Amino acid sequence: MKSEDTPFEGGPMDGRVLPVLLGPTGQPPKTYRIPVPDAAGGPPTVLVYRRVPRGHSAKLGLPRGWKYEYDPEGAASRRPRWPWSKPDATPGGKRDDTDG
């Protein structure tokens, strides 16, 4: 597998450069999760980093490379919202209307 040295910005990994495995398209993953073990033996803390462009080329505006920025909230994955997807607001797949 091919890897690329990718810089990390913000959070506990600020300033570090790690080799990140590239996917089949030649790009690193969109999110990078780092589990950090708890010193007291509890559940590990997970640091979440999001991939952002390192810079853009002058003529075409294409990304010149990638870096990871710290996401302190560690929000759930940002999936595309397709029109045919079920909404997340209704519990258990029940309908919203009350007209039975």
Side-chain angles (χ1 to χ4, degrees), residues 6-93:
T6 309
F8 286 77
E9 291 185 356
M13 300 290 291
D14 190 26
R16 295 189 186 183
V17 177
L18 297 177
V20 176
L21 291 176
L22 302 178
T25 60
Q27 296 182 356
K30 290 183 181 180
T31 58
Y32 196 81
R33 299 177 189 280
I34 304 171
V36 178
D38 187 31
T45 303
V46 178
L47 303 174
V48 179
Y49 285 85
R50 304 248 178 239
R51 181 185 74 184
V52 294
R54 194 184 297 177
H56 295 284
S57 63
K59 291 186 179 183
L60 297 176
L62 299 174
R64 287 195 156 174
W66 302 100
K67 64 182 177 181
Y68 284 104
E69 287 185 353
Y70 181 61
D71 184 6
E73 297 174 3
S77 64
R78 298 176 183 165
R79 301 183 300 155
R81 299 283 182 172
W82 301 107
W84 54 84
S85 299
K86 293 182 181 179
D88 294 335
T90 57

Side-chain angles (χ1 to χ4, degrees), residues 90 94-100:
T90 57
K94 294 183 180 179
R95 295 182 3 191
D96 286 332
D97 61 57
T98 56
D99 292 337

